[in-house]
Amino acid sequence: QVQLVESGGGLVQPGGSLRLSCAASGFRLDHYAIGWFRQAPGKEREGVACIGSSDVVRRYSDSVKGRFAISRDNAKRTVYLQMNNLKPEDTAVYYCAADMVLRADWSNSEAWSDYWGQGTQVTVSS
């Protein structure tokens, strides 16, 4: 069964950190680029970060650049999103997605057609 499962979300104070995990099963993770997206209530889903299948390419949205870091461990079939210096505006449901092709418009959720996870809630609040 093909699955992407996110974990690691929770409640954190502003300035705090969280590490999200995206665990893959049922397909060869090392053949896929992975993207992290988030969606806040009433807002469109937005791309946060992505990583190519060979870990050569990493991209970030301007809103998280310098605070978030994406990485992957293909042996563990897991992609991570380290989030530091979190802000209230980072509050959202975070999703990971997989596609065999990392497209130039990676931050567009419609560019990710293969697999999606169910999401994990991140809440940044004092």
Side-chain angles (χ1 to χ4, degrees):
Q1 182 181 3
V2 172
Q3 272 191 315
L4 285 174
V5 179
E6 302 94 337
S7 61
L11 173 65
V12 63
Q13 292 186 342
S17 298
L18 283 174
R19 189 177 79 157
L20 304 184
S21 297
C22 172
S25 60
F27 66 99
R28 287 283 304 270
L29 179 65
D30 58 334
H31 288 183
Y32 286 77
I34 298 294
W36 279 101
F37 291 78
R38 66 186 181 188
Q39 188 165 20
K43 295 189 176 181
E44 292 187 355
R45 190 169 297 189
E46 64 169 335
V48 173
C50 69
I51 187 167
S53 59
S54 60
D55 201 6
V56 172
V57 176
R58 301 183 186 188
R59 298 284 184 265
Y60 299 93
S61 66
D62 288 343
S63 60
V64 307
K65 199 172 294 182
R67 299 188 298 122
F68 290 12
I70 190 170
S71 62
R72 65 190 300 153
D73 186 337
N74 288 334
K76 294 184 177 180
R77 306 172 63 83
T78 302
V79 174
Y80 304 99
L81 185 68
Q82 178 66 44
M83 307 188 297
N84 299 325
N85 190 21
L86 283 160
K87 304 175 181 181
E89 51 264 40
D90 295 318
T91 296
V93 177
Y94 283 71
Y95 302 88
C96 61
D99 200 293
M100 292 193 77
V101 178
L102 181 55
R103 293 172 173 79
D105 60 341
W106 67 268
S107 61
N108 180 355
S109 62
E110 294 182 1
W112 298 78
S113 59
D114 289 338
Y115 310 122
W116 283 85
Q118 83 292 344
T120 185
Q121 176 70 47
V122 172
T123 302
V124 184
S125 175
S126 55

